[in-house]
Amino acid sequence: VPVFILAGLLVHCVFLVSIFDIYFSSPLVHGMTPQQTPLPPPAKRLVLFVADGLRADSLFELNSNGTPRAPYLRSILENNGSWGISHTRVPTESRPGHVALIAGFYEDVSAVAKGWKENPVEFDSVFNESKYTWSWGSPDILPMFAKGATGDHVYTFCYAAESEDFGAEDAAKLDIWVFDHVKSFFNSSRSNQTLFSALNEEKVVLFLHLLGIDTNGHAHRPNSREYQENIKQVDEGVKEIASLIDNFYGNDGKTAFILTSDHGMTDWGSHGAGHPSETLTPLIVWGAGVNYPQKVTSQFFEDNFLKEWKLENLKRLDVNQADIAPLMASLIGVPFPLNSVGTLPLEYLNGSAHFKAESMFTNAVQILEQFKVKMSQKKETTLSFLFTPFKPLSDSEQINFLKKIRLYIQQQRYDEAVSLCKTLINLALEGLSYYHTYDRLFLGLSIAAGFVGWTTYVILVIIKAHTNLTKTIPTNEKKSTVLFYGFASAGMIIAFFLLIQTCPWTYYVYCLLPVPVWYAVVREIPVIQDLATNVLSLHIGRSIGFLLICILGIEILVFSFFYRSALSVGLLVFAGWPVITQLWIQAKTRALIWTLLCVLLAIFPLMPVVGREPNIPLVIAAGLLTLLISSFSLASLCKSENKYRDNEDLKVYFYQMFSVALSTYVVSSTHDSLKSKQGLPVMNQIISWMTLVSSPVLLLLSPTFLFQRLFSILLSLMSTYLLLSTGYEALFPLALFGLMFAWINMEQEALQHYGLSLKRKLAVFSFTYAMDITQFRQLHLDDVRRSFFFVFFIVTAFFGTGNIASINSFDPASVYCFLTVFSPFMMGGLLLLKVAIPFVLVSCAFEAVQVTTQLSSKSLFLIVLVISDIMALHFFFLVKDYGSWLDIGTSISHYVLVMSLTIFMMVMNGLAQLLTTQRLGLHRRSKHHST
């Protein structure tokens, strides 16, 4: 069994990682020559303000009384500068956002996993091309641009990482720190000759990274007073800095200013996915070389923002986030960053037509350079007869384009030159994407072949080992040797092909994986033939009907990823299961309880998703309810004259109940303390971490009788879960556990109903009985339903707590009992734990079902694997990297989720066995119980 599970884990990890290689690999190429506009630039220096986490609507909206939220910036866009919305891409995190702004390209999704601080890939940026850059702000962002810079001309001033505290009195002090330091920097330069002359050079950049808005948004949500106050403070700070700089340079009119944001934020204070509230950010540009406001009578956009913001008469100029890098480069006259894919937004510039045309031409040549490098790389690593070039930009076409544009500029036909440049840029970007995704079809097919092969193999293993549909057939030695050599040589040929083309090692894994998998399937051909004859002799109508029900069930699960309410429909169908199968006749009360609990659980997927307001009274209610239920259970346990009861065991339950009570108290006191802006009390933090560590230990001290151990698991998990809850989801594990309890009982009834087993008393059932191998029965059609129930409950365990099928379905508020200082990996780990707790409950119940229905855990688990793999294959084909960013983000999230669930189930299966069968023996003699 372990070998099989390990192989499964490995195969699934490959499937999961493959998606990043196929769809989201790094787009960077190296070896281009820098391109610079030959004409003198309009500005000597550029000031870039990035208000981290600022949404476009939060800045441009008017207050309820009609006054602007940011009076200074509003007056700039009405009187001095140009404005628009900058559209960001997924993932909407600070690191990729800043890379797009300052280096002009979109980082691949996998860069998020490589960490925020360092520079996992070398890239060029506007800062690197400048003569000097001074930057102030967060230690998470600034160092990565200084590290990538050649020479020593990018200077950073950061505050301590501990300052980024979500529980602090006010995060706006992070921004005030930046403004104060910039002021003192300019004051000190008057007495520092070297600094003074450096500041008076050309091609200087000043970068102010303002993290307060983002931190306040995480801590208090974007609609809060704190977030809006922070915007006002930033507005005042920008006003002060702008006038300070103008005074410093004697109002020489050679400074350009840009204010924008790296990403927005959802209403519940998270970001990362592709919702419009995360991808729409403000852009305001003013100063040297920038167009004045353009009055218009009407302009058309699909959104209604202009009306809401009362800006219908000022021309709105939208850009993509990467377009801001070439804009900065052309304003101060530095080479465009080498990897930039942005198109220069000409409407922001007020230079001569000649300057605009030259700048645009530089932009086109710079992107074409990348295209050439990418093409030559692909050409080198592909066999010449297999290589299909990108037709619209053949070598002769490129020369044609460049000649024509040069000619137009010489003839002063600037508008035609500009439109040709735009065509060339679009073609070069298409070509870049064409070569970037060159191997996609071939890799996708390899992975799909591996997927289908693996699922087929698992089905064959189930049928061969755990059913009596086939008789054992002696293997033909000669045939199997031929097969082995056939597949081995196929593998060699594939490897040889990859070797000639100098492919990366991951390609070998993806292309060679289907070979052993299909070899294992083809070896079982006699079994398949035997199976075919057997199935034909069975009842055809019944088999087809059964298949249709299976397909429908899996489609409901797939559907539930798009619409959570599909789970409620499924649960209501489950509620009717005892009636449909006539089970209720033999067990009326149990069936009634099952139906009621199914209906109760069906309410949860209909509840509002993450991002609701915290509702601490509900968490406290859940804690008290847990204590109430456990008191009743304990009372009934003490009453029952159970010869297996041990007074030592009762102590464990009392400790666990105390732990739940303590958690309830900690949650309420922590949230009160944060509300009154006093931060996280240290005592509460210590209790939280101790609960987290001690609850699994207490669990393993409890007896392994079926219900006693399950009850102990619930108490242990609840104490941790309460600490991570902020609202109604605290009640979810209780409802889920009730249903799991009823499920174990119903499965006993089902066994009897199908005459598969005698009725046994569940109360004295223990997880640790070494079951005799002969007691295992063969699989029955009903077991497929059992496995489907399990997968369905696992999916419900994920979506029932208000999660959405997206990467940003977390609410930072849920970890505040443990920590409030920003630490991505620690917070991520705790949020994962919160997601995992309901899974553990379902897995332990499934383990109990396996024990009580006398099945080897392997056989049911294999069916579960088949069901989840078929789901994963659906999502593999649904992944896309085009269309709106919302669709792309969602499609990746879905696939990653379903694959993680499958890998998770394998791990959970092992964990459930550990949690249900292991017992720590302290202070007790071993007791032997006769059964």
Side-chain angles (χ1 to χ4, degrees):
V1 179
V3 176
F4 187 79
I5 293 267
L6 277 177
L9 264 176
L10 197 70
V11 168
H12 283 92
C13 287
V14 170
F15 290 158
L16 176 57
V17 174
S18 70
I19 180 119
F20 292 105
D21 250 0
I22 297 176
Y23 288 95
F24 307 100
S25 48
S26 171
L28 292 191
V29 284
H30 298 289
M32 292 77 63
T33 44
Q35 303 294 324
Q36 188 171 353
T37 312
L39 301 176
K44 279 187 173 179
R45 64 202 77 88
L46 175 105
V47 186
L48 172 65
F49 301 95
V50 177
D52 203 300
L54 174 61
R55 291 159 52 148
D57 56 351
S58 300
L59 178 67
F60 294 129
E61 253 172 13
L62 298 173
N63 289 323
S64 45
N65 56 5
T67 55
R69 283 211 182 138
Y72 174 70
L73 290 169
R74 182 77 174 200
S75 73
I76 289 281
L77 69 90
E78 285 173 355
N79 309 314
N80 307 38
S82 296
W83 75 285
I85 287 179
S86 147
H87 297 262
T88 75
R89 286 201 188 174
V90 173
T92 44
E93 295 290 347
S94 293
R95 188 206 147 84
H98 280 89
V99 170
L101 285 172
I102 296 162
F105 71 92
Y106 301 105
E107 258 187 322
D108 58 301
V109 177
S110 57
V112 173
K114 292 175 185 160
W116 276 255
K117 317 230 168 170
E118 295 307 312
N119 216 341
V121 279
E122 287 303 313
F123 58 79
D124 187 23
S125 69
V126 175
F127 294 176
N128 187 29
E129 297 290 358
S130 70
K131 184 132 193 198
Y132 293 107
T133 294
W134 285 275
S135 54
W136 294 264
S138 155
D140 295 341
I141 295 299
L142 304 188
M144 76 178 189
F145 294 104
K147 256 205 170 67
T150 46
D152 192 17
H153 63 273
V154 178
Y155 304 101
T156 58
F157 305 95
C158 310
Y159 37 76
E162 288 69 55
S163 313
E164 300 174 24
D165 187 346
F166 295 156
E169 292 113 74
D170 191 15
K173 64 173 193 280
L174 297 178
D175 298 344
I176 293 166
W177 185 97
V178 170
F179 293 135
D180 288 348
H181 275 71
V182 175
K183 288 174 200 163
S184 61
F185 171 78
F186 273 100
N187 289 337
S188 69
S189 72
R190 295 185 195 276
S191 56
N192 177 342
Q193 197 46 51
T194 4
L195 180 57
F196 187 80
S197 57
L199 275 170
N200 279 294
E201 293 275 2
E202 293 186 345
K203 302 180 183 177
V204 166
V205 178
L206 303 166
F207 170 41
L208 284 71
H209 175 240
L210 309 167
L211 189 68
I213 295 180
D214 183 67
T215 311
N216 266 324
H218 283 308
H220 306 286
R221 320 279 159 98
N223 298 322
S224 63
R225 188 182 55 81
E226 287 86 351
Y227 187 84
Q228 287 163 15
E229 284 288 308
N230 202 161
I231 293 177
K232 201 165 182 172
Q233 277 168 313
V234 164
D235 181 60
E236 284 160 14
V238 170
K239 180 181 180 177
E240 286 172 19
I241 299 296
S243 72
L244 169 91
I245 288 175
D246 284 340
N247 291 339
F248 182 85
Y249 290 108
N251 291 332
D252 65 352
K254 286 287 181 192
T255 315
F257 296 91
I258 294 183
L259 179 128
T260 183
S261 160
D262 53 350
H263 55 75
M265 189 172 277
T266 56
D267 289 340
W268 58 91
S270 74
H271 51 83
H275 190 269
S277 62
E278 298 162 273
T279 57
L280 300 182
T281 59
L283 173 65
I284 301 177
V285 190
W286 71 101
V290 181
N291 243 339
Y292 284 103
Q294 301 165 48
K295 297 271 190 286
V296 285
T297 42
S298 69
Q299 43 183 342
F300 175 72
F301 284 95
E302 285 183 355
D303 49 49
N304 293 326
F305 290 144
L306 291 168
K307 212 170 188 171
E308 288 170 30
W309 302 340
K310 307 231 179 332
L311 288 169
E312 301 99 321
N313 302 331
L314 289 174
K315 188 155 192 191
R316 164 178 154 189
L317 309 167
D318 280 19
V319 299
N320 289 323
Q321 197 173 30
D323 300 344
I324 297 175
L327 174 65
M328 295 195 283
S330 70
L331 282 172
I332 53 171
V334 297
F336 286 37
L338 292 176
N339 297 107
S340 161
V341 292
T343 310
L344 180 63
L346 286 180
E347 291 179 294
Y348 276 89
L349 300 174
N350 73 354
S352 63
H354 184 202
F355 177 75
K356 289 183 180 177
E358 282 288 0
S359 301
M360 207 65 199
F361 183 55
T362 310
N363 194 182
V365 174
Q366 171 258 326
I367 291 179
L368 190 63
E369 278 283 306
Q370 290 181 74
F371 168 78
K372 287 180 181 166
V373 172
K374 193 94 178 170
M375 179 170 115
S376 63
Q377 279 182 3
K378 205 77 237 155
K379 212 168 184 169
E380 280 165 22
T381 58
T382 314
L383 297 175
S384 50
F385 64 90
L386 289 176
F387 182 71
T388 43
F390 181 65
K391 295 279 186 332
L393 267 190
S394 58
D395 293 349
S396 56
E397 280 291 318
Q398 291 176 31
I399 295 166
N400 261 348
F401 264 114
L402 297 176
K403 271 188 183 158
K404 246 187 194 165
I405 297 170
R406 262 279 148 251
L407 190 68
Y408 281 154
I409 290 179
Q410 278 160 5
Q411 296 171 350
Q412 300 190 351
R413 294 158 64 184
Y414 297 128
D415 290 349
E416 291 161 58
V418 166
S419 73
L420 249 187
C421 286
K422 285 184 176 165
T423 317
L424 179 57
I425 288 177
N426 289 334
L427 281 177
L429 290 174
E430 259 176 57
L432 268 174
S433 143
Y434 169 82
Y435 286 120
H436 186 54
T437 59
Y438 194 78
D439 301 325
R440 180 171 299 173
L441 182 68
F442 144 74
L443 288 177
L445 287 174
S446 296
I447 291 289
F451 237 125
V452 175
W454 165 258
T455 313
T456 317
Y457 177 64
V458 176
I459 294 174
L460 284 175
V461 170
I462 295 172
I463 287 170
K464 202 169 114 178
H466 301 282
T467 64
N468 39 20
L469 288 177
T470 57
K471 40 187 193 300
T472 45
I473 299 157
T475 49
N476 182 333
E477 285 298 316
K478 194 174 166 196
K479 260 188 188 168
S480 60
T481 323
V482 171
L483 263 181
F484 176 74
Y485 284 119
F487 272 94
S489 52
M492 303 274 250
I493 292 169
I494 293 174
F496 178 64
F497 253 97
L498 293 174
L499 194 66
I500 297 177
Q501 305 193 29
T502 57
C503 292
W505 64 272
T506 44
Y507 281 32
Y508 289 88
V509 179
Y510 304 145
C511 301
L512 293 174
L513 183 70
V515 178
V517 172
W518 279 102
Y519 168 63
V521 172
V522 175
R523 263 179 56 192
E524 308 291 352
I525 277 190
V527 178
I528 300 174
Q529 291 167 338
D530 188 35
L531 181 69
T533 49
N534 264 348
V535 167
L536 291 175
S537 65
L538 283 173
H539 200 288
I540 292 286
R542 242 173 107 182
S543 307
I544 291 175
F546 179 70
L547 250 166
L548 284 176
I549 289 178
C550 283
I551 292 169
L552 181 75
I554 289 175
E555 290 309 317
I556 282 189
L557 282 178
V558 169
F559 202 65
S560 71
F561 275 73
F562 299 97
Y563 304 99
R564 292 163 67 233
S565 46
L567 291 170
S568 299
V569 176
L571 282 165
L572 293 177
V573 174
F574 283 6
W577 164 59
V579 181
I580 301 164
T581 53
Q582 307 276 299
L583 265 177
W584 65 281
I585 298 171
Q586 68 187 54
K588 289 195 173 56
T589 22
R590 281 181 177 184
L592 185 67
I593 292 172
W594 161 267
T595 306
L596 286 175
L597 284 167
C598 275
V599 174
L600 177 68
L601 200 66
I603 299 170
F604 282 93
L606 301 173
M607 298 287 265
V609 290
V610 215
R612 46 190 186 263
E613 279 303 298
N615 189 340
I616 302 303
L618 273 181
V619 183
I620 297 170
L624 297 177
L625 193 62
T626 313
L627 291 173
L628 190 71
I629 293 171
S630 40
S631 315
F632 274 117
S633 316
L634 265 184
S636 68
L637 196 70
C638 294
K639 271 195 198 126
S640 67
E641 281 308 307
N642 188 341
K643 59 178 175 188
Y644 305 121
R645 204 185 73 218
D646 184 343
N647 287 335
E648 291 291 334
D649 298 339
L650 293 182
K651 275 189 191 168
V652 176
Y653 291 126
F654 281 121
Y655 287 137
Q656 287 186 308
M657 283 169 68
F658 175 66
S659 176
V660 170
L662 203 58
S663 295
T664 314
Y665 164 73
V666 167
V667 168
S668 77
S669 85
T670 301
H671 281 270
D672 286 346
S673 161
L674 289 175
K675 221 178 201 141
S676 57
K677 302 245 163 106
Q678 285 166 353
L680 167 62
V682 180
M683 195 61 215
N684 289 7
Q685 195 173 10
I686 294 170
I687 295 175
S688 298
W689 285 104
M690 281 177 67
T691 306
L692 183 68
V693 176
S694 65
S695 53
V697 179
L698 283 175
L699 189 168
L700 293 175
L701 291 173
S702 66
T704 55
F705 295 110
L706 193 77
F707 288 151
Q708 294 179 23
R709 177 48 75 94
L710 283 177
F711 173 54
S712 177
I713 289 173
L714 172 73
L715 285 181
S716 262
L717 295 178
M718 263 320 267
S719 57
T720 310
Y721 197 77
L722 285 170
L723 292 171
L724 291 166
S725 297
T726 57
Y728 71 79
E729 80 269 27
L731 295 162
F732 181 76
L734 288 174
L736 184 68
F737 183 73
L739 186 62
M740 293 298 98
F741 219 76
W743 183 35
I744 297 168
N745 283 305
M746 288 302 289
E747 288 299 358
Q748 272 304 104
E749 300 295 341
L751 270 188
Q752 268 183 288
H753 183 71
Y754 290 107
L756 293 172
S757 137
L758 306 166
K759 186 155 188 174
R760 308 175 57 163
K761 269 197 77 164
L762 281 179
V764 295
F765 222 107
S766 168
F767 279 111
T768 42
Y769 290 154
M771 292 193 66
D772 184 7
I773 202 81
T774 53
Q775 282 186 324
F776 287 147
R777 54 186 182 80
Q778 293 287 22
L779 282 173
H780 181 265
L781 269 189
D782 201 38
D783 295 320
V784 177
R785 175 197 56 73
R786 259 181 208 113
S787 306
F788 177 73
F789 270 26
F790 172 63
V791 179
F792 191 93
F793 288 140
I794 281 275
V795 175
T796 309
F798 182 75
F799 289 115
T801 53
N803 286 315
I804 47 179
S806 156
I807 301 168
N808 69 4
S809 82
F810 58 84
D811 178 356
S814 33
V815 297
Y816 288 171
C817 286
F818 292 92
L819 76 165
T820 54
V821 176
F822 178 66
S823 150
F825 295 107
M826 187 76 87
M827 287 184 168
L830 287 168
L831 290 162
L832 267 180
L833 177 71
K834 181 180 179 179
V835 168
I837 286 176
F839 289 171
V840 177
L841 276 179
V842 177
S843 301
C844 291
F846 189 55
E847 186 66 28
V849 167
Q850 290 171 359
V851 174
T852 54
T853 55
Q854 294 169 320
L855 269 178
S856 72
S857 56
K858 186 180 164 195
S859 52
L860 270 188
F861 185 66
L862 290 179
I863 307 178
V864 168
L865 213 56
V866 172
I867 296 173
S868 53
D869 278 344
I870 295 172
M871 276 170 66
L873 197 58
H874 270 81
F875 287 119
F876 181 75
F877 288 115
L878 288 173
V879 168
K880 51 175 172 232
D881 67 336
Y882 55 86
S884 83
W885 280 102
L886 186 58
D887 300 344
I888 297 168
T890 321
S891 71
I892 312 165
S893 306
H894 283 169
Y895 181 72
V896 170
L897 259 177
V898 93
M899 283 311 292
S900 317
L901 280 183
T902 313
I903 294 172
F904 230 60
M905 281 187 221
M906 292 183 174
V907 178
M908 285 290 154
N909 197 40
L911 184 65
Q913 279 181 352
L914 174 85
L915 290 183
T916 50
T917 57
Q918 295 306 311
R919 184 170 188 189
L920 299 174
L922 305 172
H923 66 73
R924 54 162 69 84
R925 304 182 305 285
S926 64
K927 295 178 180 164
H928 297 287
H929 300 309
S930 53
T931 50

